[in-house]
């Protein structure tokens, strides 16, 4: 089973994510940005994987730190679950679209 868990803590955000690639489209997502939650929920449901994602960020300043760091965590989750090393992540993206 391809799964991964990632914790990311910065000055602006605290994010914990858990991914199961062979899932059923189940999700438990809370970023504090409701439209972003909705987008991630649909991504998960239609992608057929399971995703738990909890984010706390400096939303009183702006939403961009939360959205940016969630993107980083998602990339790390998929890379880790698929067994892709950090040095290969760029090549996988380029070979898929290049």
């Amino acid at each position: 089973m391809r799964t991964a868990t990632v914790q990311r803590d910065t000055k602006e955000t605290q994010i914990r994510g858990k991914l199961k690639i062979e899932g059923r489209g189940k999700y438990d997502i809370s970023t504090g940005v409701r439209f972003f939650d909705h987008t991630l929920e649909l991504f998960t449901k239609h992608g057929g994987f399971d995703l738990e994602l909890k984010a706390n960020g400096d939303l009183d300043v702006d939403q961009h730190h939360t959205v940016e760091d969630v993107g980083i965590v998602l990339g790390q989750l998929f890379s880790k679950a698929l067994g892709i090393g950090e040095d290969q992540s760029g090549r996988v993206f380029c070979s898929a679209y290049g």
Side-chain angles (χ1 to χ4, degrees):
M1 193 75 47
R2 296 177 295 176
T3 62
T5 302
V6 171
Q7 175 77 36
R8 177 178 174 84
D9 296 309
T10 68
K11 291 179 182 177
E12 296 89 11
T13 64
Q14 299 80 43
I15 301 170
R16 178 170 171 73
K18 183 176 180 182
L19 172 70
K20 179 180 174 185
I21 291 182
E22 287 82 18
R24 298 176 56 199
K26 295 181 181 179
Y27 54 81
D28 183 10
I29 298 170
S30 176
T31 66
V33 182
R34 186 62 199 123
F35 182 74
F36 189 43
D37 291 351
H38 174 67
T39 303
L40 293 170
E41 291 164 0
L42 293 177
F43 175 57
T44 303
K45 181 177 180 176
H46 295 294
F49 52 88
D50 295 344
L51 179 65
E52 293 177 23
L53 189 70
K54 301 294 180 202
N56 292 308
D58 59 352
L59 297 177
D60 58 317
V61 175
D62 197 349
Q63 299 173 354
H64 86 274
H65 290 138
T66 299
V67 173
E68 179 180 56
D69 287 351
V70 165
I72 291 169
V73 167
L74 284 173
Q76 291 172 334
L77 284 167
F78 278 98
S79 291
K80 191 173 176 182
L82 294 170
I84 300 168
E86 289 185 28
D87 60 328
Q88 297 175 337
S89 297
R91 282 189 235 144
V92 171
F93 179 81
C94 292
S95 66
Y97 297 100

Coordinates of all heavy atoms in Angstrom, one line a residue:
M1 N 0.8 -1.2 0.0 CA 0.0 0.0 0.0 C 0.9 1.2 0.0 O 1.8 1.4 0.8 CB -0.9 0.0 1.2 CG -2.0 0.9 1.2 SD -3.4 0.6 0.2 CE -3.8 -1.1 0.5
R2 N 0.6 2.2 -0.9 CA 1.4 3.4 -1.0 C 0.8 4.5 -0.2 O -0.2 5.0 -0.5 CB 1.6 3.8 -2.5 CG 2.3 2.7 -3.3 CD 2.4 3.0 -4.8 NE 1.1 3.1 -5.4 CZ 0.9 3.4 -6.6 NH1 1.9 3.8 -7.4 NH2 -0.3 3.4 -7.1
T3 N 1.5 4.8 0.9 CA 1.0 5.8 1.9 C 2.2 6.7 2.3 O 3.3 6.4 2.1 CB 0.4 5.2 3.1 OG1 1.5 4.4 3.8 CG2 -0.7 4.2 2.8
A4 N 1.8 7.9 2.8 CA 2.8 8.8 3.3 C 2.2 9.7 4.3 O 1.0 10.0 4.3 CB 3.4 9.6 2.2
T5 N 3.0 10.2 5.3 CA 2.6 11.2 6.2 C 3.7 12.2 6.3 O 4.9 11.9 6.2 CB 2.5 10.6 7.6 OG1 1.5 9.5 7.6 CG2 2.1 11.6 8.7
V6 N 3.3 13.5 6.3 CA 4.2 14.6 6.3 C 3.8 15.7 7.3 O 2.6 16.0 7.3 CB 4.4 15.3 4.9 CG1 5.2 16.5 4.9 CG2 5.0 14.3 3.9
Q7 N 4.7 16.2 8.0 CA 4.5 17.3 8.9 C 5.4 18.5 8.5 O 6.6 18.3 8.3 CB 4.8 16.9 10.4 CG 4.7 18.1 11.4 CD 3.2 18.4 11.8 OE1 2.4 17.5 11.8 NE2 2.9 19.7 12.0
R8 N 4.8 19.7 8.3 CA 5.6 20.8 7.9 C 5.2 22.0 8.9 O 4.1 22.4 9.0 CB 5.3 21.3 6.5 CG 6.0 22.5 6.0 CD 5.7 22.8 4.6 NE 6.3 24.1 4.2 CZ 7.5 24.3 3.8 NH1 8.4 23.2 3.7 NH2 8.0 25.5 3.4
D9 N 6.2 22.5 9.6 CA 6.1 23.6 10.5 C 7.0 24.7 10.1 O 8.2 24.5 9.9 CB 6.4 23.2 11.9 CG 5.4 22.1 12.4 OD1 4.2 22.3 12.3 OD2 5.9 21.1 12.9
T10 N 6.4 25.9 9.8 CA 7.2 27.1 9.5 C 6.8 28.2 10.5 O 5.9 28.0 11.3 CB 7.0 27.6 8.1 OG1 5.6 28.0 7.9 CG2 7.2 26.4 7.1
K11 N 7.3 29.4 10.3 CA 6.9 30.5 11.1 C 5.5 30.9 10.8 O 4.8 31.4 11.7 CB 7.8 31.7 10.9 CG 9.2 31.5 11.4 CD 10.1 32.8 11.0 CE 11.5 32.6 11.5 NZ 12.4 33.7 11.2
E12 N 5.0 30.6 9.6 CA 3.7 31.0 9.2 C 2.6 30.0 9.3 O 1.4 30.2 9.4 CB 3.7 31.6 7.8 CG 4.5 32.8 7.5 CD 6.0 32.5 7.2 OE1 6.3 31.4 7.0 OE2 6.8 33.5 7.3
T13 N 3.0 28.7 9.1 CA 2.0 27.6 9.1 C 2.5 26.3 9.8 O 3.7 26.1 10.0 CB 1.8 27.2 7.6 OG1 3.0 26.7 7.0 CG2 1.3 28.3 6.8
Q14 N 1.5 25.6 10.2 CA 1.7 24.2 10.7 C 0.7 23.3 9.9 O -0.5 23.5 10.0 CB 1.4 24.1 12.2 CG 2.2 25.0 13.1 CD 1.7 26.4 13.1 OE1 0.5 26.7 13.2 NE2 2.6 27.4 13.0
I15 N 1.3 22.3 9.2 CA 0.5 21.5 8.3 C 0.9 20.0 8.5 O 2.0 19.7 8.6 CB 0.7 21.9 6.8 CG1 0.3 23.4 6.6 CG2 -0.1 21.0 5.9 CD1 0.7 23.9 5.3
R16 N -0.2 19.2 8.6 CA 0.0 17.8 8.7 C -0.8 17.1 7.6 O -2.0 17.4 7.5 CB -0.4 17.3 10.1 CG -0.3 15.8 10.2 CD -0.5 15.3 11.7 NE -0.5 13.9 11.9 CZ 0.5 13.1 11.7 NH1 1.7 13.5 11.4 NH2 0.3 11.8 11.9
G17 N -0.2 16.2 6.9 CA -0.9 15.6 5.8 C -0.7 14.1 5.8 O 0.4 13.6 6.2
K18 N -1.7 13.3 5.4 CA -1.6 11.9 5.3 C -2.3 11.5 4.0 O -3.4 11.9 3.8 CB -2.3 11.2 6.5 CG -2.2 9.7 6.6 CD -2.8 9.1 7.8 CE -2.7 7.6 7.9 NZ -3.3 7.1 9.1
L19 N -1.6 10.7 3.2 CA -2.1 10.3 1.9 C -2.1 8.7 1.8 O -1.1 8.1 2.2 CB -1.1 10.9 0.8 CG -1.4 10.4 -0.6 CD1 -2.7 11.0 -1.2 CD2 -0.2 10.8 -1.5
K20 N -3.1 8.2 1.2 CA -3.2 6.8 0.8 C -3.6 6.8 -0.7 O -4.7 7.1 -1.0 CB -4.2 6.1 1.7 CG -4.4 4.6 1.3 CD -5.5 4.0 2.3 CE -5.8 2.6 1.9 NZ -6.9 2.1 2.7
I21 N -2.6 6.4 -1.5 CA -2.9 6.4 -3.0 C -4.0 5.5 -3.4 O -4.9 5.8 -4.2 CB -1.6 6.2 -3.8 CG1 -0.7 7.5 -3.6 CG2 -1.9 6.0 -5.3 CD1 0.6 7.5 -4.3
E22 N -3.9 4.2 -2.9 CA -5.0 3.3 -3.2 C -6.1 3.4 -2.2 O -6.4 2.6 -1.4 CB -4.4 1.8 -3.1 CG -3.5 1.4 -4.3 CD -2.1 1.9 -4.1 OE1 -1.7 2.2 -2.9 OE2 -1.4 2.0 -5.1
G23 N -6.8 4.5 -2.4 CA -7.9 4.9 -1.5 C -9.2 4.8 -2.1 O -9.4 4.1 -3.2
R24 N -10.2 5.5 -1.6 CA -11.6 5.5 -2.1 C -12.1 6.9 -2.3 O -13.3 7.0 -2.3 CB -12.4 4.7 -1.1 CG -12.0 3.2 -1.0 CD -12.7 2.4 0.0 NE -14.1 2.4 -0.3 CZ -15.1 2.1 0.6 NH1 -14.7 1.7 1.8 NH2 -16.4 2.1 0.2
G25 N -11.3 7.8 -2.2 CA -11.7 9.2 -2.4 C -12.2 9.9 -1.1 O -12.9 10.9 -1.1
K26 N -11.8 9.3 0.0 CA -12.2 9.8 1.3 C -11.3 11.0 1.7 O -10.1 11.0 1.4 CB -12.1 8.8 2.4 CG -13.1 7.6 2.2 CD -12.9 6.6 3.3 CE -13.9 5.5 3.2 NZ -13.7 4.5 4.3
Y27 N -11.8 12.0 2.4 CA -11.0 13.1 2.7 C -11.5 13.7 4.1 O -12.6 13.6 4.5 CB -11.1 14.2 1.7 CG -12.5 14.6 1.3 CD1 -13.3 15.5 2.1 CD2 -13.1 14.1 0.2 CE1 -14.5 15.9 1.7 CE2 -14.4 14.5 -0.2 CZ -15.1 15.4 0.6 OH -16.4 15.7 0.3
D28 N -10.5 14.3 4.7 CA -10.7 15.1 6.0 C -9.8 16.3 5.9 O -8.6 16.2 6.2 CB -10.5 14.2 7.2 CG -10.8 15.0 8.5 OD1 -11.4 16.1 8.4 OD2 -10.4 14.5 9.6
I29 N -10.3 17.4 5.3 CA -9.5 18.5 5.0 C -9.9 19.8 5.7 O -11.1 20.1 5.7 CB -9.5 18.7 3.4 CG1 -8.9 17.5 2.7 CG2 -8.7 20.0 3.1 CD1 -9.1 17.5 1.2
S30 N -9.0 20.5 6.3 CA -9.3 21.8 6.9 C -8.1 22.7 6.8 O -7.0 22.4 7.5 CB -9.7 21.5 8.4 OG -9.9 22.8 9.0
T31 N -8.2 23.7 6.0 CA -7.1 24.6 5.8 C -7.4 26.0 6.3 O -6.5 26.9 6.5 CB -6.7 24.8 4.3 OG1 -7.8 25.4 3.6 CG2 -6.3 23.5 3.7
G32 N -8.7 26.3 6.6 CA -9.1 27.6 7.0 C -9.5 28.5 5.9 O -10.0 29.6 6.0
V33 N -9.3 28.0 4.6 CA -9.7 28.7 3.4 C -10.7 27.8 2.7 O -10.4 26.8 2.1 CB -8.5 28.9 2.5 CG1 -8.9 29.7 1.2 CG2 -7.3 29.6 3.2
R34 N -12.0 28.1 2.9 CA -13.1 27.2 2.5 C -13.1 26.8 1.1 O -13.3 25.6 0.7 CB -14.4 27.7 2.9 CG -15.6 26.8 2.7 CD -15.4 25.5 3.5 NE -16.2 24.5 3.0 CZ -15.8 23.3 2.5 NH1 -14.6 22.9 2.6 NH2 -16.7 22.4 2.0
F35 N -12.9 27.7 0.2 CA -12.9 27.4 -1.3 C -11.7 26.5 -1.6 O -11.8 25.5 -2.4 CB -12.8 28.6 -2.2 CG -12.9 28.2 -3.6 CD1 -14.1 27.8 -4.2 CD2 -11.8 28.3 -4.4 CE1 -14.1 27.4 -5.5 CE2 -11.8 28.0 -5.8 CZ -13.0 27.5 -6.3
F36 N -10.5 26.7 -1.0 CA -9.4 25.8 -1.1 C -9.7 24.4 -0.6 O -9.4 23.4 -1.3 CB -8.2 26.4 -0.4 CG -6.9 25.8 -0.7 CD1 -6.5 25.4 -2.0 CD2 -5.9 25.6 0.3 CE1 -5.3 24.8 -2.3 CE2 -4.7 25.0 0.0 CZ -4.4 24.6 -1.3
D37 N -10.3 24.3 0.5 CA -10.8 23.0 1.1 C -11.6 22.3 0.0 O -11.4 21.1 -0.2 CB -11.6 23.2 2.4 CG -10.8 23.7 3.5 OD1 -9.5 23.7 3.4 OD2 -11.4 24.0 4.6
H38 N -12.6 23.0 -0.5 CA -13.5 22.4 -1.5 C -12.8 21.9 -2.7 O -13.0 20.8 -3.2 CB -14.5 23.5 -1.9 CG -15.5 23.1 -3.0 ND1 -16.4 22.1 -2.9 CD2 -15.6 23.5 -4.3 CE1 -17.1 22.0 -4.0 NE2 -16.6 22.8 -4.9
T39 N -11.8 22.7 -3.2 CA -11.0 22.3 -4.3 C -10.2 21.0 -4.0 O -10.2 20.1 -4.8 CB -10.0 23.4 -4.7 OG1 -10.8 24.6 -5.0 CG2 -9.2 23.1 -6.0
L40 N -9.6 21.0 -2.9 CA -8.8 19.8 -2.5 C -9.7 18.6 -2.2 O -9.3 17.4 -2.6 CB -8.0 20.1 -1.2 CG -6.9 21.1 -1.3 CD1 -6.4 21.5 0.0 CD2 -5.8 20.6 -2.2
E41 N -10.9 18.8 -1.7 CA -11.9 17.7 -1.6 C -12.3 17.1 -2.9 O -12.3 15.8 -3.1 CB -13.1 18.2 -0.8 CG -12.9 18.6 0.6 CD -14.0 19.4 1.2 OE1 -15.0 19.7 0.5 OE2 -13.8 19.7 2.4
L42 N -12.5 17.9 -3.9 CA -12.9 17.4 -5.2 C -11.7 16.7 -5.9 O -11.8 15.7 -6.5 CB -13.4 18.5 -6.1 CG -14.7 19.1 -5.7 CD1 -15.1 20.3 -6.7 CD2 -15.8 18.1 -5.7
F43 N -10.5 17.3 -5.7 CA -9.3 16.6 -6.2 C -9.1 15.2 -5.6 O -8.8 14.3 -6.4 CB -8.1 17.6 -5.8 CG -6.7 17.0 -6.1 CD1 -6.3 16.7 -7.4 CD2 -5.8 17.0 -5.1 CE1 -5.1 16.2 -7.7 CE2 -4.5 16.5 -5.4 CZ -4.1 16.2 -6.7
T44 N -9.4 15.1 -4.4 CA -9.2 13.8 -3.7 C -10.3 12.8 -4.1 O -10.0 11.7 -4.5 CB -9.3 14.0 -2.1 OG1 -8.3 14.9 -1.7 CG2 -9.2 12.7 -1.4
K45 N -11.5 13.3 -4.1 CA -12.7 12.4 -4.5 C -12.5 11.9 -5.9 O -12.6 10.7 -6.1 CB -14.0 13.2 -4.4 CG -15.2 12.4 -4.7 CD -16.5 13.2 -4.5 CE -17.7 12.3 -4.9 NZ -18.9 13.0 -4.6
H46 N -12.2 12.8 -6.9 CA -12.1 12.4 -8.2 C -10.8 11.7 -8.6 O -10.7 10.9 -9.5 CB -12.4 13.5 -9.2 CG -13.8 14.1 -9.1 ND1 -14.9 13.3 -9.5 CD2 -14.3 15.2 -8.6 CE1 -16.0 14.0 -9.2 NE2 -15.6 15.2 -8.7
G47 N -9.8 11.9 -7.7 CA -8.5 11.2 -7.9 C -8.5 9.8 -7.3 O -7.7 9.0 -7.6
G48 N -9.5 9.5 -6.5 CA -9.6 8.2 -5.9 C -8.6 7.8 -4.8 O -8.4 6.7 -4.5
F49 N -8.0 8.8 -4.3 CA -7.0 8.6 -3.2 C -7.6 9.1 -1.9 O -8.6 9.9 -2.0 CB -5.6 9.2 -3.5 CG -5.7 10.6 -3.9 CD1 -5.6 11.6 -2.9 CD2 -5.7 11.0 -5.2 CE1 -5.6 12.9 -3.2 CE2 -5.7 12.3 -5.5 CZ -5.7 13.3 -4.6
D50 N -7.1 8.8 -0.8 CA -7.6 9.3 0.5 C -6.6 10.3 1.0 O -5.4 10.2 0.9 CB -7.7 8.2 1.6 CG -8.7 7.1 1.2 OD1 -9.6 7.4 0.3 OD2 -8.7 6.0 1.8
L51 N -7.1 11.4 1.6 CA -6.3 12.5 2.0 C -6.8 13.1 3.3 O -8.0 13.4 3.4 CB -6.2 13.6 1.0 CG -5.4 14.9 1.3 CD1 -3.9 14.5 1.5 CD2 -5.6 15.9 0.3
E52 N -5.9 13.2 4.3 CA -6.2 13.9 5.5 C -5.2 15.1 5.5 O -4.0 14.9 5.3 CB -5.9 13.1 6.8 CG -6.9 11.9 6.9 CD -6.5 11.0 8.2 OE1 -5.8 11.5 9.1 OE2 -6.9 9.8 8.1
L53 N -5.8 16.3 5.8 CA -4.9 17.5 5.7 C -5.4 18.5 6.7 O -6.6 18.9 6.6 CB -4.9 18.1 4.3 CG -3.9 19.2 4.0 CD1 -2.5 18.6 4.0 CD2 -4.3 19.8 2.7
K54 N -4.6 18.9 7.6 CA -4.9 19.9 8.6 C -3.9 21.0 8.5 O -2.7 20.7 8.6 CB -4.9 19.3 10.0 CG -5.9 18.2 10.2 CD -7.3 18.7 10.1 CE -8.3 17.5 10.3 NZ -9.6 17.7 9.7
A55 N -4.3 22.2 8.4 CA -3.4 23.4 8.3 C -3.9 24.5 9.2 O -5.1 24.8 9.2 CB -3.4 23.8 6.8
N56 N -2.9 25.0 9.9 CA -3.1 26.3 10.6 C -2.1 27.3 10.1 O -0.9 27.0 10.0 CB -2.9 26.0 12.1 CG -3.9 25.1 12.7 OD1 -5.1 25.4 12.6 ND2 -3.5 24.1 13.4
G57 N -2.6 28.4 9.7 CA -1.7 29.4 9.2 C -2.1 30.8 9.6 O -3.1 31.0 10.3
D58 N -1.3 31.8 9.2 CA -1.5 33.2 9.5 C -2.5 33.8 8.6 O -2.2 34.8 7.9 CB -0.1 33.9 9.5 CG 0.6 33.9 8.2 OD1 0.1 33.2 7.3 OD2 1.6 34.6 8.0
L59 N -3.7 33.3 8.6 CA -4.8 33.8 7.7 C -5.1 35.2 8.0 O -5.7 35.9 7.1 CB -6.0 32.9 7.9 CG -5.8 31.4 7.4 CD1 -7.1 30.6 7.6 CD2 -5.3 31.3 6.0
D60 N -4.8 35.7 9.2 CA -5.1 37.1 9.5 C -4.2 38.1 8.7 O -4.5 39.2 8.4 CB -4.9 37.4 11.0 CG -3.5 37.1 11.5 OD1 -3.0 36.0 11.1 OD2 -3.0 37.9 12.3
V61 N -3.1 37.5 8.2 CA -2.1 38.3 7.4 C -2.5 38.1 5.9 O -2.7 39.1 5.2 CB -0.7 37.8 7.6 CG1 0.3 38.5 6.6 CG2 -0.2 38.1 9.0
D62 N -2.7 36.8 5.5 CA -3.0 36.5 4.1 C -3.2 35.0 4.0 O -2.8 34.3 4.8 CB -1.9 37.0 3.2 CG -2.3 37.1 1.7 OD1 -3.4 36.6 1.4 OD2 -1.5 37.6 0.9
Q63 N -3.8 34.6 2.9 CA -4.0 33.1 2.7 C -2.8 32.5 1.9 O -2.7 31.3 1.9 CB -5.3 32.9 1.9 CG -6.5 33.4 2.6 CD -7.7 33.4 1.7 OE1 -7.7 33.0 0.6 NE2 -8.9 33.7 2.3
H64 N -2.0 33.3 1.3 CA -1.0 32.7 0.4 C 0.0 31.8 1.1 O 0.5 30.8 0.5 CB -0.3 33.8 -0.4 CG 0.9 34.4 0.2 ND1 0.8 35.5 1.1 CD2 2.2 34.1 0.1 CE1 2.0 35.8 1.5 NE2 2.9 35.0 0.9
H65 N 0.4 32.0 2.4 CA 1.3 31.1 3.1 C 0.7 29.8 3.2 O 1.4 28.7 3.0 CB 1.7 31.7 4.4 CG 2.6 32.9 4.4 ND1 2.4 34.0 5.2 CD2 3.7 33.2 3.6 CE1 3.3 34.9 4.9 NE2 4.1 34.4 4.0
T66 N -0.6 29.7 3.6 CA -1.2 28.4 3.8 C -1.3 27.7 2.5 O -1.0 26.5 2.4 CB -2.6 28.7 4.4 OG1 -2.5 29.3 5.7 CG2 -3.4 27.4 4.6
V67 N -1.8 28.3 1.4 CA -2.0 27.7 0.1 C -0.6 27.2 -0.4 O -0.5 26.1 -0.9 CB -2.6 28.7 -0.9 CG1 -2.7 28.1 -2.3 CG2 -4.1 29.0 -0.4
E68 N 0.4 28.1 -0.3 CA 1.7 27.7 -0.8 C 2.3 26.5 0.0 O 2.8 25.5 -0.6 CB 2.7 28.9 -0.5 CG 4.1 28.7 -0.9 CD 4.9 30.0 -0.7 OE1 4.9 30.5 0.5 OE2 5.5 30.5 -1.6
D69 N 2.2 26.5 1.3 CA 2.8 25.4 2.1 C 1.9 24.1 2.0 O 2.5 23.0 2.0 CB 2.9 25.8 3.6 CG 4.0 26.8 3.8 OD1 4.8 27.0 2.8 OD2 4.2 27.3 4.9
V70 N 0.6 24.2 1.7 CA -0.2 23.0 1.5 C 0.3 22.4 0.1 O 0.4 21.2 0.0 CB -1.7 23.3 1.4 CG1 -2.5 22.2 0.8 CG2 -2.2 23.6 2.8
G71 N 0.6 23.2 -0.8 CA 1.1 22.7 -2.1 C 2.4 22.0 -1.9 O 2.7 20.9 -2.5
I72 N 3.3 22.5 -1.1 CA 4.6 21.8 -0.8 C 4.3 20.5 -0.1 O 4.9 19.5 -0.5 CB 5.5 22.7 0.1 CG1 5.9 23.9 -0.8 CG2 6.7 22.0 0.6 CD1 6.6 25.0 0.0
V73 N 3.4 20.5 0.9 CA 3.1 19.2 1.6 C 2.5 18.2 0.6 O 2.9 17.0 0.7 CB 2.2 19.5 2.8 CG1 1.6 18.2 3.3 CG2 3.0 20.2 3.9
L74 N 1.6 18.6 -0.3 CA 1.0 17.7 -1.2 C 2.1 17.1 -2.1 O 2.1 15.8 -2.4 CB 0.0 18.4 -2.1 CG -1.4 18.6 -1.5 CD1 -2.2 19.5 -2.4 CD2 -2.1 17.3 -1.1
G75 N 3.0 17.9 -2.6 CA 4.1 17.4 -3.4 C 5.0 16.4 -2.7 O 5.3 15.3 -3.2
Q76 N 5.3 16.7 -1.4 CA 6.0 15.8 -0.6 C 5.3 14.5 -0.3 O 5.9 13.4 -0.3 CB 6.4 16.4 0.8 CG 7.4 17.6 0.6 CD 7.6 18.4 1.9 OE1 6.7 18.4 2.8 NE2 8.8 19.0 2.0
L77 N 4.0 14.6 -0.1 CA 3.2 13.4 0.2 C 3.2 12.4 -1.0 O 3.5 11.2 -0.9 CB 1.7 13.7 0.5 CG 1.5 14.3 1.9 CD1 0.1 14.9 2.0 CD2 1.6 13.2 3.0
F78 N 3.0 12.9 -2.2 CA 3.0 12.1 -3.4 C 4.3 11.6 -3.7 O 4.5 10.4 -4.0 CB 2.4 12.9 -4.6 CG 0.9 12.9 -4.6 CD1 0.2 14.0 -4.2 CD2 0.2 11.8 -5.1 CE1 -1.2 14.0 -4.2 CE2 -1.2 11.8 -5.1 CZ -1.9 12.9 -4.7
S79 N 5.4 12.4 -3.6 CA 6.7 11.9 -3.8 C 7.1 10.8 -2.9 O 7.6 9.7 -3.3 CB 7.7 13.0 -3.7 OG 7.6 14.0 -4.7
K80 N 6.8 11.0 -1.6 CA 7.1 10.0 -0.6 C 6.3 8.7 -0.8 O 6.9 7.6 -0.8 CB 6.8 10.5 0.8 CG 7.3 9.7 2.0 CD 7.1 10.5 3.3 CE 7.5 9.7 4.5 NZ 7.3 10.4 5.7
A81 N 5.0 8.8 -1.1 CA 4.2 7.6 -1.3 C 4.6 6.8 -2.5 O 4.5 5.6 -2.6 CB 2.7 8.0 -1.4
L82 N 5.0 7.5 -3.5 CA 5.4 6.9 -4.8 C 6.9 6.5 -4.8 O 7.4 5.9 -5.7 CB 5.2 7.8 -6.0 CG 3.7 8.1 -6.2 CD1 3.6 9.2 -7.3 CD2 3.0 6.9 -6.7
G83 N 7.6 6.8 -3.7 CA 9.0 6.4 -3.6 C 9.9 7.2 -4.5 O 11.0 6.7 -5.0
I84 N 9.6 8.5 -4.8 CA 10.4 9.3 -5.7 C 11.3 10.2 -4.8 O 10.8 10.9 -3.9 CB 9.4 10.2 -6.5 CG1 8.5 9.4 -7.4 CG2 10.3 11.2 -7.4 CD1 7.4 10.2 -8.1
G85 N 12.6 10.1 -5.0 CA 13.5 10.9 -4.3 C 13.4 12.4 -4.7 O 12.9 12.7 -5.8
E86 N 13.8 13.2 -3.8 CA 13.8 14.7 -4.0 C 14.5 15.1 -5.3 O 14.2 16.0 -6.0 CB 14.3 15.5 -2.8 CG 13.4 15.4 -1.7 CD 13.9 16.3 -0.5 OE1 14.6 17.3 -0.8 OE2 13.5 16.0 0.6
D87 N 15.6 14.4 -5.6 CA 16.4 14.7 -6.8 C 15.7 14.2 -8.1 O 16.1 14.7 -9.1 CB 17.8 14.0 -6.7 CG 17.7 12.5 -6.6 OD1 16.7 12.0 -6.0 OD2 18.6 11.8 -7.1
Q88 N 14.7 13.4 -8.0 CA 14.0 12.9 -9.2 C 12.6 13.6 -9.4 O 12.0 13.5 -10.4 CB 13.7 11.4 -9.0 CG 15.0 10.6 -9.0 CD 14.7 9.2 -8.7 OE1 13.6 8.8 -8.2 NE2 15.6 8.3 -9.1
S89 N 12.2 14.4 -8.4 CA 10.8 15.0 -8.5 C 10.7 15.8 -9.8 O 9.7 15.7 -10.4 CB 10.5 15.8 -7.3 OG 10.5 15.0 -6.1
G90 N 11.6 16.7 -10.1 CA 11.5 17.5 -11.2 C 11.5 16.7 -12.5 O 10.8 17.0 -13.5
R91 N 12.3 15.6 -12.6 CA 12.3 14.8 -13.8 C 11.0 14.1 -14.0 O 10.6 14.0 -15.2 CB 13.4 13.7 -13.7 CG 14.8 14.3 -13.9 CD 15.8 13.2 -14.0 NE 16.8 13.6 -13.0 CZ 17.5 12.7 -12.3 NH1 17.2 11.5 -12.4 NH2 18.4 13.1 -11.4
V92 N 10.3 13.7 -13.0 CA 9.0 13.1 -13.1 C 8.0 14.0 -13.7 O 7.3 13.7 -14.7 CB 8.5 12.5 -11.8 CG1 7.1 12.0 -11.9 CG2 9.4 11.3 -11.4
F93 N 8.0 15.3 -13.2 CA 7.1 16.3 -13.7 C 7.4 16.6 -15.2 O 6.5 16.6 -16.0 CB 7.2 17.6 -12.9 CG 6.3 18.7 -13.3 CD1 5.0 18.7 -13.0 CD2 6.8 19.7 -14.2 CE1 4.1 19.7 -13.4 CE2 6.0 20.7 -14.6 CZ 4.6 20.7 -14.3
C94 N 8.7 16.8 -15.5 CA 9.1 17.1 -16.9 C 8.7 16.0 -17.8 O 8.3 16.2 -18.9 CB 10.5 17.5 -16.9 SG 10.9 19.0 -16.1
S95 N 9.0 14.7 -17.4 CA 8.8 13.6 -18.3 C 7.3 13.4 -18.5 O 6.9 12.9 -19.6 CB 9.4 12.4 -17.8 OG 8.8 11.9 -16.6
A96 N 6.4 13.8 -17.6 CA 5.0 13.6 -17.7 C 4.4 14.7 -18.7 O 3.4 14.4 -19.3 CB 4.3 13.7 -16.4
Y97 N 5.0 15.8 -18.8 CA 4.5 16.9 -19.6 C 5.4 17.4 -20.6 O 5.1 18.3 -21.4 CB 4.1 18.1 -18.6 CG 3.1 17.7 -17.7 CD1 3.4 17.4 -16.3 CD2 1.7 17.7 -18.0 CE1 2.4 17.0 -15.4 CE2 0.7 17.3 -17.1 CZ 1.1 17.0 -15.9 OH 0.1 16.6 -15.0
G98 N 6.7 16.9 -20.7 CA 7.6 17.5 -21.6 C 7.8 16.6 -22.8 O 7.4 15.6 -23.1

